[in-house]
Amino acid sequence: MNLIEIKGLCKNFDKFKLQNVDITLEEGFIMGFIGRNGAGKSTTLKTSLNLMNNDGGSVKLCGLSMPQDELEIKNQVGYVFGGVDFYPEAKIGHITNVTKSFYREWNEELYKELCDRFEIDQNKRFKHLSAGMKVKYSLAVAMSHNPKLLILDEPTSGLDPAARDDLVLLFQEFIEDGKHSILFSTHITSDLEKCADYITYIKEGKILASTDKDSFRQSYISVAGKKEQLTPEVEEKIIGLHKHQLGFEGIMKSEDKKLAQSNGFEMAEPTLEDIMIHIERR
């Protein structure tokens, strides 16, 4: 079963357009949603959840249609967006008691387990939480009503490496029964290297690629060499070409591997970060 079916999603602003976004994700998988700031990641997630009106396209989450089944969808989807603050003066326990009343299947035992895991003090006022602890609390709430799907916008932002690693393990636990999935946007590509099954790349409001992580990485090669090895024909094929005192570096499509070999370039398999840096280099 597909837990996400987004087709032809559009959203128009004065200076930006989200154009015909298609995303599909089966149950049992994690998809990383990447692209530079302003590429359309948050807009895609918010319009998918009807937090923003869209200007075209269709959205089905957990087999239900948005906006017709919005209430049921939001009982089956947990979501966390950056920059969302609860009442700053309220204590965590009070915020939770109000929040859980909106969900049909609130799991108090799971909530307490997650709070213990994240070391969240129920008597602390929200304003006294660090940025990282606010993210952890939002995740604890999002996961405690037995959602099938998590939609997360920069969930590991503001966390130290050890805390990020804990969340990656939690995400893997969440999907290991094969019935749950996660879609999350992030600019911390090292987290996706550890846990993502699929990658969707968005650039300037358009989906550049949406495929399994290995296929995405293997569709490019990192290349480097001396400046004198460059020819006009080769320069055309190098994405994000960077010339420096010692030579050059960039990435090429894997289909151009023979060209890179014939010119004696150094080649390697790029990381997600390498690909993102060179695609976005101007």
Side-chain angles (χ1 to χ4, degrees), residues 87-108:
Y87 293 108
E89 295 292 341
K91 292 183 178 180
I92 294 301
H94 177 70
I95 294 170
T96 302
N97 285 335
V98 173
T99 303
K100 69 184 184 183
S101 65
F102 291 97
Y103 294 105
R104 186 180 62 248
E105 293 188 31
W106 181 265
N107 187 330
E108 188 67 20

CSV table of all heavy atoms in Angstrom, one decimal, residues 87-108:
chain,number,residue,atom,x,y,z
A,87,TYR,N,2.5,27.2,23.5
A,87,TYR,CA,2.5,28.4,24.4
A,87,TYR,C,3.7,28.4,25.3
A,87,TYR,O,4.0,27.4,26.0
A,87,TYR,CB,1.2,28.3,25.3
A,87,TYR,CG,-0.1,28.4,24.5
A,87,TYR,CD1,-0.9,27.4,24.2
A,87,TYR,CD2,-0.4,29.7,24.0
A,87,TYR,CE1,-2.1,27.5,23.5
A,87,TYR,CE2,-1.6,29.9,23.3
A,87,TYR,CZ,-2.4,28.8,23.0
A,87,TYR,OH,-3.6,28.9,22.3
A,88,PRO,N,4.5,29.4,25.2
A,88,PRO,CA,5.8,29.5,25.8
A,88,PRO,C,5.8,29.3,27.4
A,88,PRO,O,6.7,28.7,28.0
A,88,PRO,CB,6.4,30.8,25.4
A,88,PRO,CG,5.3,31.6,25.0
A,88,PRO,CD,4.3,30.7,24.4
A,89,GLU,N,4.7,29.9,28.0
A,89,GLU,CA,4.6,29.9,29.4
A,89,GLU,C,4.1,28.6,30.0
A,89,GLU,O,4.2,28.3,31.2
A,89,GLU,CB,3.8,31.0,29.9
A,89,GLU,CG,4.4,32.4,29.7
A,89,GLU,CD,5.7,32.7,30.4
A,89,GLU,OE1,5.9,32.0,31.5
A,89,GLU,OE2,6.4,33.6,30.0
A,90,ALA,N,3.4,27.8,29.1
A,90,ALA,CA,2.8,26.5,29.6
A,90,ALA,C,3.8,25.4,29.9
A,90,ALA,O,4.8,25.3,29.2
A,90,ALA,CB,1.8,26.1,28.5
A,91,LYS,N,3.4,24.6,30.9
A,91,LYS,CA,4.3,23.5,31.2
A,91,LYS,C,4.0,22.3,30.1
A,91,LYS,O,2.9,22.2,29.6
A,91,LYS,CB,4.0,23.0,32.6
A,91,LYS,CG,4.5,23.9,33.7
A,91,LYS,CD,4.2,23.4,35.0
A,91,LYS,CE,4.7,24.3,36.1
A,91,LYS,NZ,4.5,23.8,37.5
A,92,ILE,N,5.1,21.6,29.9
A,92,ILE,CA,5.0,20.5,28.9
A,92,ILE,C,3.8,19.6,29.2
A,92,ILE,O,3.0,19.2,28.3
A,92,ILE,CB,6.3,19.7,28.9
A,92,ILE,CG1,7.4,20.5,28.4
A,92,ILE,CG2,6.2,18.4,28.0
A,92,ILE,CD1,7.3,21.1,27.1
A,93,GLY,N,3.6,19.2,30.4
A,93,GLY,CA,2.5,18.2,30.8
A,93,GLY,C,1.2,18.8,30.4
A,93,GLY,O,0.3,18.1,30.0
A,94,HIS,N,1.0,20.1,30.6
A,94,HIS,CA,-0.3,20.8,30.3
A,94,HIS,C,-0.5,20.8,28.8
A,94,HIS,O,-1.6,20.6,28.3
A,94,HIS,CB,-0.3,22.2,30.9
A,94,HIS,CG,-1.6,23.0,30.6
A,94,HIS,ND1,-2.8,22.6,31.1
A,94,HIS,CD2,-1.8,24.0,29.8
A,94,HIS,CE1,-3.7,23.5,30.7
A,94,HIS,NE2,-3.1,24.3,29.8
A,95,ILE,N,0.5,21.2,28.1
A,95,ILE,CA,0.4,21.2,26.6
A,95,ILE,C,0.0,19.9,26.1
A,95,ILE,O,-0.9,19.7,25.2
A,95,ILE,CB,1.8,21.7,26.0
A,95,ILE,CG1,2.1,23.1,26.4
A,95,ILE,CG2,1.7,21.5,24.5
A,95,ILE,CD1,3.5,23.5,26.0
A,96,THR,N,0.6,18.8,26.6
A,96,THR,CA,0.3,17.5,26.2
A,96,THR,C,-1.2,17.1,26.5
A,96,THR,O,-1.9,16.5,25.7
A,96,THR,CB,1.2,16.4,26.8
A,96,THR,OG1,2.6,16.8,26.5
A,96,THR,CG2,0.9,15.0,26.3
A,97,ASN,N,-1.6,17.4,27.7
A,97,ASN,CA,-3.0,17.1,28.1
A,97,ASN,C,-4.0,17.8,27.1
A,97,ASN,O,-5.1,17.2,26.8
A,97,ASN,CB,-3.3,17.6,29.5
A,97,ASN,CG,-2.6,16.6,30.5
A,97,ASN,OD1,-2.4,15.5,30.2
A,97,ASN,ND2,-2.3,17.2,31.7
A,98,VAL,N,-3.7,19.0,26.7
A,98,VAL,CA,-4.6,19.6,25.7
A,98,VAL,C,-4.5,19.0,24.3
A,98,VAL,O,-5.5,18.7,23.7
A,98,VAL,CB,-4.3,21.2,25.6
A,98,VAL,CG1,-5.1,21.8,24.5
A,98,VAL,CG2,-4.5,21.8,26.9
A,99,THR,N,-3.3,18.7,23.9
A,99,THR,CA,-3.0,18.2,22.6
A,99,THR,C,-3.6,16.8,22.3
A,99,THR,O,-4.2,16.5,21.3
A,99,THR,CB,-1.5,18.2,22.3
A,99,THR,OG1,-0.9,19.5,22.4
A,99,THR,CG2,-1.2,17.7,20.9
A,100,LYS,N,-3.5,16.0,23.3
A,100,LYS,CA,-3.9,14.6,23.1
A,100,LYS,C,-5.4,14.4,23.0
A,100,LYS,O,-5.9,13.4,22.5
A,100,LYS,CB,-3.4,13.7,24.3
A,100,LYS,CG,-4.0,13.9,25.6
A,100,LYS,CD,-3.3,13.1,26.7
A,100,LYS,CE,-3.9,13.2,28.1
A,100,LYS,NZ,-3.2,12.4,29.1
A,101,SER,N,-6.1,15.5,23.4
A,101,SER,CA,-7.6,15.4,23.3
A,101,SER,C,-8.1,15.4,21.8
A,101,SER,O,-9.2,15.1,21.5
A,101,SER,CB,-8.2,16.5,24.1
A,101,SER,OG,-7.9,17.8,23.5
A,102,PHE,N,-7.2,15.8,20.9
A,102,PHE,CA,-7.5,15.9,19.5
A,102,PHE,C,-7.4,14.6,18.8
A,102,PHE,O,-7.8,14.5,17.6
A,102,PHE,CB,-6.7,17.0,18.8
A,102,PHE,CG,-6.9,18.4,19.3
A,102,PHE,CD1,-6.2,19.0,20.2
A,102,PHE,CD2,-8.0,19.1,18.7
A,102,PHE,CE1,-6.4,20.3,20.6
A,102,PHE,CE2,-8.3,20.4,19.1
A,102,PHE,CZ,-7.5,21.0,20.1
A,103,TYR,N,-6.7,13.6,19.4
A,103,TYR,CA,-6.4,12.4,18.7
A,103,TYR,C,-7.2,11.2,19.3
A,103,TYR,O,-7.4,11.0,20.5
A,103,TYR,CB,-4.9,12.1,18.9
A,103,TYR,CG,-4.1,13.1,18.1
A,103,TYR,CD1,-3.4,14.1,18.8
A,103,TYR,CD2,-4.0,13.1,16.7
A,103,TYR,CE1,-2.6,15.0,18.1
A,103,TYR,CE2,-3.3,14.0,16.0
A,103,TYR,CZ,-2.6,15.0,16.8
A,103,TYR,OH,-1.8,15.9,16.1
A,104,ARG,N,-7.7,10.4,18.4
A,104,ARG,CA,-8.6,9.3,18.7
A,104,ARG,C,-7.8,8.1,19.4
A,104,ARG,O,-8.3,7.5,20.2
A,104,ARG,CB,-9.3,8.8,17.4
A,104,ARG,CG,-10.3,7.7,17.7
A,104,ARG,CD,-10.9,7.2,16.4
A,104,ARG,NE,-9.9,6.6,15.5
A,104,ARG,CZ,-9.6,7.2,14.3
A,104,ARG,NH1,-10.1,8.3,13.9
A,104,ARG,NH2,-8.7,6.6,13.5
A,105,GLU,N,-6.5,7.9,18.9
A,105,GLU,CA,-5.8,6.8,19.4
A,105,GLU,C,-4.5,7.2,20.2
A,105,GLU,O,-3.4,6.7,19.9
A,105,GLU,CB,-5.4,5.9,18.2
A,105,GLU,CG,-6.6,5.2,17.6
A,105,GLU,CD,-6.1,4.2,16.6
A,105,GLU,OE1,-5.0,3.6,16.8
A,105,GLU,OE2,-6.8,4.0,15.6
A,106,TRP,N,-4.7,8.2,21.1
A,106,TRP,CA,-3.5,8.6,21.9
A,106,TRP,C,-3.0,7.4,22.7
A,106,TRP,O,-3.7,6.8,23.4
A,106,TRP,CB,-3.9,9.8,22.8
A,106,TRP,CG,-2.7,10.3,23.5
A,106,TRP,CD1,-2.3,9.9,24.8
A,106,TRP,CD2,-1.7,11.2,23.1
A,106,TRP,NE1,-1.2,10.6,25.2
A,106,TRP,CE2,-0.8,11.4,24.1
A,106,TRP,CE3,-1.5,11.9,21.9
A,106,TRP,CZ2,0.3,12.2,24.0
A,106,TRP,CZ3,-0.4,12.7,21.8
A,106,TRP,CH2,0.5,12.9,22.8
A,107,ASN,N,-1.6,7.2,22.7
A,107,ASN,CA,-1.0,6.2,23.4
A,107,ASN,C,-0.1,6.7,24.5
A,107,ASN,O,1.0,7.1,24.3
A,107,ASN,CB,-0.1,5.3,22.4
A,107,ASN,CG,0.5,4.1,23.0
A,107,ASN,OD1,0.7,4.0,24.2
A,107,ASN,ND2,0.7,3.1,22.2
A,108,GLU,N,-0.7,6.8,25.7
A,108,GLU,CA,-0.1,7.4,26.8
A,108,GLU,C,1.2,6.7,27.2
A,108,GLU,O,2.2,7.3,27.6
A,108,GLU,CB,-1.0,7.5,28.0
A,108,GLU,CG,-0.5,8.3,29.2
A,108,GLU,CD,-0.4,9.8,28.9
A,108,GLU,OE1,-1.0,10.3,28.0
A,108,GLU,OE2,0.4,10.5,29.6
